[in-house]
Amino acid sequence: MRLCATCALLLLLAALDNSEILQTTVQPDKGWTVMLSTKLDQCPVCTVSGVNDTQTTCKASLSLVPEEEVKLLFNCSQPIGQSYTVTINSSIECTNDSCNPSRVALPSILTELSRTFTVEVKAPEKTVVSLDVLGEGLMESSQPCTDGIQYSVVTSKTDSKSQTQYCGGGSVTRLDLLNEAAVSLPVLSNVQVTTLFQASAAPLKGRTMVVTVDPSTTVVLSRDVEEPECEVCTVEGSTPSCSAKEKQLTNAENSLEFSCLKPEDVFSVKMKKKIVCTESSCSPAAAEVDPELFKDFKRSLTWDISVPEKTVLTLDFPAGGLKHISAAENCQDGYRYSVSTTKNDGKIKANSYCRGGAVSHLDLLGTTMVTAEVPKGGELNRTVLNVKAAPRGARMMSVTPDPDTIIIIRRVGEDPDCSVCVDDPPNQKCNPRYLRLTDPRNTSVEFTCPQPQDVFNVEINREIDCTETSCSGNIVQPESLLFPDFNRTFTWDLKVVSTRAFQLDFPEPGMRQIPNEETCPDAHTYSLVIYLRTGPAEIGTFCKGGTVTTIMARYKGRVLLQVPGEAKLDPVDFKLHVGPETNKLAIVKVNLPRGVSDTDFITANYPRDFPDTQQMQWDFTVPGMHNYSVNFLNHAAPECLNSEVAVEYQKKDKKATKATLTDPQPKHQQGNFNMVLKNCETNRTLEGLNLKYRVSVMRSGHPVLCTVDLTKHRGVSVQIEKVGSDPYCEISTNSKVSEKINVAAGTTADLSFLDCPKEDVRLTASKLIWCQDWACSASKLTVPKLDSCLPLLLHSFTWHLYIPQDRTLDLVSPTGSFKRSLPGQECNHSVLLHVAEGDGSSLGDFCFNGDIQKVQVHANVSVTATVKDFNITRGPFLSVNVSQEIPETIIYRVSPKVTSPTLLATPGWPGGMKPSTTVSWIVTLPSQYQAHLQFVNITRPKCKDRHAYMKVRTLDSVEEMMSRREDEEAEDKLLVLQSFYLNMSNCIPEERQFSVLTKITLEKKTNLLAIVLGIAGAVVLALAVLGVVCCVTKKKKKQKMNKESSIYIGKGNIFRPGDRHFSKTRSDNESHVYDSIDETMVYGHLLGDSYQTFTGPVDGLLPTVKEPDPEPEMDQYNTFLKPSETFIPSRPRTPIDRQDSLGFQDSRMVDNELYTFKSTGEINTIRLSGVDLEPQPPITEESL
């Protein structure tokens, strides 16, 4: 009862704890054992028994007896299906010819839990048990099955390596198994399986096969000792020959029988063949194999190739190239090739290869063995490789050393059969180790091996002697055609006067020092060695691309360049000069880079000892606005016998400072400096001096700080962008470094500029203006004053103007007019305005004072102003108004000038207009002028939709003077007599763009009718005057009159003869007496003059003339004063006898002597004096 109470309490707690509970009754089938176990301690396996199931027994595991019913209880806080392990096992007992049970079906039990079914096979030796799958077949797979049901078959319960996996839905319907083999099937919870097997047994008959072996081939089958035991037998007569370890096949035809079902998993096959070569050929000439022979076995194919002495063996791989690998590497595809050659001294040289490389040809010396390893089932070409033999020919080359150049060929390999020879037989001389060429002549060099580059290195040496001032040669690029596939060392031996130094100057970007035992990434490694009395000292090893620009070394030295074979020669072209006198071992000049950097340096001979009592100097050039620090990374101090080790630092015009190796070195200093390391006389039985140190550089420039406050400028934003290439220029906002900074409108930003030249940073600003409900009327675009802390000049300022869709933006110049910048009409002003639509489509560049009076845009607009200095010019740059909507996209109001042509271009020219847009020019001409319209440049589109038009009409007419589509030819020139509209409308183009450049030239109008009438009148007048003169002349020819007559001198004063201006008296001078006056002689010559406004006498003010009383008139004087009754316009009756008449002038008078009129009409007087004069009485002939 106590147990039941406990169980009840447990059930209650489980219910309160939301645990899963499963209670079920099971009865295992006959022959099946069921084992249940829990994966969690809190989830036991319980059985329920007793009256009314009142007794519960819980265990961690439980084994169920076949055919015995039991009630189970599963109680777990975790999902039950994954919390328990259920294994359901059965076995098939077989004899030599039958099995029990013969039919195996997986029981349906505990389907709520995950289960693993296992069926074990038990059979006598040499008995095979076949399980036929009833239903859907199986297929072998190494991947998880999609339905979650995956079979595993092992040949032995203890051998997991022999496991094979199967999924449903294949063609495998039989599984052949031996004793202790097992089939297992994991099944997830709530998954039903209905797999059935039909079991049968029979004596084991292993795999049999018949193979044919070539007489020159030896085949050996070997069993892996780790694989299950299996025999292979050959049937020779009635008695089979069997072996469980190894079997060799030599006969032409062999019948094989294996005692296991899958001998390919147990045995591997080794095939060996022989190839015999003479000095000129091989038999057979190819390494061939039957691709199907033992294909499903792992195969190792070996060819032993024998060659006579002094014969070159060539192997060609026709199936693709090989890739060289190390002996420890594996080939991913399982194909591996090994080539080993036995040399005459008995040493073996072996190389391994994988497929998929560039090696397709091998030249070998000596007996060679080639092995190809092929995986199980691997495909193989019938011809694995081709074999050729040839006499061991010498490699020949012609060498011509340059003058003062020595070529040394030195052995580095150990091949005993290779020598280097010079000259031709019979005078040929050979040496297996060394050859020196000095004569500058063409020399024949022969190597007795096919690949001498593996045996010999080449040194090419040149000597350069220098005087006190110059050198006999220069460091030139070494000869690249000599021995290109050999490892080469180019050396230059340099020598100057003992008190001086030789100087090596390296081109940009300098050289980089590396540890002496390392090589350069580009395979070009430079070294500098100098020769002291105590022996050579290695100044350093260098690579291209570094901070070292110059090295000066004392007296005598050598420059070395090491280049490996097959590397393309690309040397540094450094220069050699005679340096100054020095007591230093060497002087190294260094240009430290800008920015943050760490550069390492080492002393001569490092890590070996620095020479005794010697000094070495480094001259460092530090970039401006940078700090440097010196750090000793590693050093060794010697035991000094005399003097001491010291480090000296010196700057220009400053005293040197001394330090020891253990003293603090310079930190965070600026400026160029020299560092000198001095050694003492050391105890050479102990470790000497060496030093490795680092020079660190960092920027020391102080940033320019500026706080930009845009809260006081409504709608204004600021943009700052790096436009230069200086990588060390940094701009940041709120401590964040960026290439481009935007300070949004209405915000505040803390800006920082570090090491930035002004030309590398661009400052622009913009302003948003929303023109709603006439809010922008009469606005003027001006540039606000930005924060003065900004270290940059404002490059440009942009106004973004936004208007409603039913409004138009009017742009008016503050000077009254614009000029658009076009070729031949460029803007040279200090102010340039770039106008574009809101989408960025350009309308053009404009400046002040031109032919455009106003621009109206039916769109949002951006205006960018660019001036030399916004601190001087802040605007206003434009006046902006919002007006009523216009039908066009853009309207220009243009007033051409008389003095020069006017150019009009479509928006975006020379680019095209936007699709489906219209632009108009309202051109107002001055009075009395007409316009010549010329279309200078037209680009016609191919329209996809609608048409593009060009139209011209006058302002007072609805009739168009010209209207042309894009597919019609337009007139090049057009004459327009008055103000007009010019309209361009674009289609939706398919190809090309629509753009037009128009030229307007003004010309004054010509009145043809007036010209014709004037000519006719002049002819009539001339005839009339001629007739009158003739009559008067005949009638009054002899009559003498003592009458006065007035005359007018155009550039003098008005006078009369009575004023006594003549030299003679009246009595003796009759020059003033006129018998008659020929009018054609007086003013007829003026009839063709043009009309000009009279401006008065040119020689000063008009004189005051005091006129006397009128004198008696002359009989025929009326003819002179009366207007002609002909077509000639009448003269006005001008009072010439009154001084007051000078106060008036007729506006129709011309600049001629007689004030003759050219046109008709009433007198239009112009006051010439400031006094209001009384009206004059009418003038009659009597008064004259």
Side-chain angles (χ1 to χ4, degrees), residues 23 73 285 435 625 680 707 943-944 1037 1079 1128:
Q23 183 170 329
L73 175 66
L435 177 65
M625 304 293 289
C680 61
T707 299
C943 290
K944 180 179 180 182
K1037 187 174 182 181
E1079 292 183 8
I1128 300 176

Side-chain angles (χ1 to χ4, degrees), residues 963-996:
S963 178
R964 295 291 184 269
R965 301 192 319 194
E966 82 285 350
D967 53 359
E968 299 174 344
E969 288 294 330
E971 295 86 344
D972 292 338
K973 297 180 180 180
L974 190 66
L975 178 63
V976 186
L977 301 178
Q978 54 184 311
S979 301
F980 61 93
Y981 288 103
L982 173 60
N983 178 273
M984 310 281 180
S985 58
N986 197 9
C987 60
I988 299 178
E990 180 180 358
E991 295 179 5
R992 300 182 300 275
Q993 297 293 326
F994 184 35
S995 63
V996 181

Side-chain angles (χ1 to χ4, degrees), residues 852-873:
I852 303 174
Q853 308 302 315
K854 180 192 292 187
V855 180
Q856 294 179 284
V857 186
H858 186 202
N860 299 326
V861 170
S862 67
V863 179
T864 300
T866 304
V867 301
K868 293 182 179 179
D869 190 350
F870 279 98
N871 293 324
I872 300 175
T873 306

